Amino acid sequence: MILDLLLETILPRLCVVCEKKGVYPQWFCASCRKDILFVPHPQCERCGYPLSEQLCSVCLTHPKKNTFDFHRSLFLYEGVASDLIARYKFGKKRELALCFGNLFCEYHPYIEGNFILPIPLFKSRLRKRGFNQSLEMARVISKIKKTPLLDGLIKLKSTQPQTELSRQERLHNLRNIFVWKGKSLVGEKIILIDDVLSTGATMAEAARTLKTAGAKQVMAYTVCLNVLTPSPQPLSLRERGG
Ligand SMILES: [Zn+2]
Ligand SMILES: [Zn+2]
């Protein structure tokens, strides 16, 4: 705490959006805070998609056996938040990992698991970008939550955004893009970290790979949720059959 205050005097924290000085302990100044859109409630119990109180239609029709058990994002992927992601990934503003990692832990204090795992980049992409944006955030969360980072998830090929495809086509395209080369995951609860969740197909395939390797539970967290149209429709209790 004393060290924090000392650091703050020497290097005042800047708003991560407009770089206005002295916003500590916040990450945004009051004006930028108003412009950033947190994912609204209510959300699907499982995937965190807004608009649904219980389960969205996707979660309802896809049993969690072969995918992640839970997902939450901090922000909607638009405006200020999508600019921040672009600055982080393509502007090489690696220090934003500190902001995102801290916000994850502040807004989702119940994050809990045996290991933290970032979604990997394909090796040529990693060479080009110079860093894995998910790994940097995972490091911060690992430190705050005192939960070890785990290595071993490998991405076998490069993938392009595929939002125009159907869910079935996306899942088919991404089938086996990951392989698990790490230690046994039998019975483990894994926390998966990525920057943006759009169709959810990449996260689902990573989770499927971990579950095939024995993981008992996969909890996913992303900075931004890209709300796509047509959106999953909330279903009433009656339609869920109870
Ligand atoms: Zn600002
Ligand atoms: Zn859902």
Side-chain angles (χ1 to χ4, degrees), residues 36-57:
I36 195 151
L37 300 170
F38 283 81
V39 180
H41 290 268
Q43 300 170 1
C44 168
E45 279 172 12
R46 182 168 129 202
C47 73
Y49 206 98
L51 305 178
S52 170
E53 289 212 49
Q54 289 93 29
L55 292 171
C56 71
S57 56

Side-chain angles (χ1 to χ4, degrees), residues 32-196:
C32 293
R33 174 69 179 75
K34 272 196 281 199
D35 292 338
I36 195 151
L37 300 170
F38 283 81
V39 180
H41 290 268
Q43 300 170 1
C44 168
E45 279 172 12
R46 182 168 129 202
C47 73
Y49 206 98
L51 305 178
S52 170
E53 289 212 49
Q54 289 93 29
L55 292 171
C56 71
S57 56
V58 173
C59 291
L60 199 63
T61 49
H62 293 82
K64 65 183 181 184
K65 188 165 70 106
N66 285 324
T67 179
F68 48 85
D69 297 86
F70 182 82
H71 165 262
R72 286 295 181 270
S73 283
L74 286 171
F75 313 121
L76 293 178
Y77 191 47
E78 47 189 81
V80 173
S82 77
D83 288 350
L84 277 182
I85 291 285
R87 274 153 63 181
Y88 178 42
K89 281 162 72 169
F90 311 116
K92 302 201 191 307
K93 282 254 183 196
R94 287 170 76 158
E95 61 272 26
L96 278 169
L98 202 60
C99 162
F100 296 144
N102 273 277
L103 285 175
F104 268 122
C105 298
E106 185 183 328
Y107 282 85
H108 303 295
Y110 47 78
I111 292 180
E112 192 210 299
N114 303 105
F115 296 103
I116 299 186
L117 232 119
I119 293 283
L121 293 177
F122 182 58
K123 55 182 190 281
S124 62
R125 179 75 58 92
L126 179 62
R127 260 200 310 273
K128 203 166 152 203
R129 187 167 300 157
F131 73 109
N132 175 355
Q133 68 275 6
S134 305
L135 172 61
E136 301 296 317
M137 294 187 285
R139 279 199 178 114
V140 175
I141 299 166
S142 160
K143 219 173 213 169
I144 297 173
K145 304 302 285 186
K146 298 188 172 57
T147 303
L149 272 182
L150 196 58
D151 207 11
L153 189 62
I154 313 286
K155 195 170 183 191
L156 297 175
K157 55 183 176 183
S158 187
T159 44
Q160 298 302 322
Q162 40 174 9
T163 47
E164 68 289 347
L165 304 178
S166 78
R167 184 181 164 87
Q168 264 339 89
E169 289 169 324
R170 291 189 308 256
L171 287 172
H172 179 77
N173 271 2
L174 294 175
R175 192 87 176 166
N176 300 321
I177 54 158
F178 295 108
V179 64
W180 179 249
K181 296 257 178 150
K183 59 177 240 158
S184 164
L185 295 179
V186 173
E188 306 288 12
K189 181 173 170 184
I190 307 292
I191 299 164
L192 257 181
I193 304 292
D194 204 3
D195 53 346
V196 180

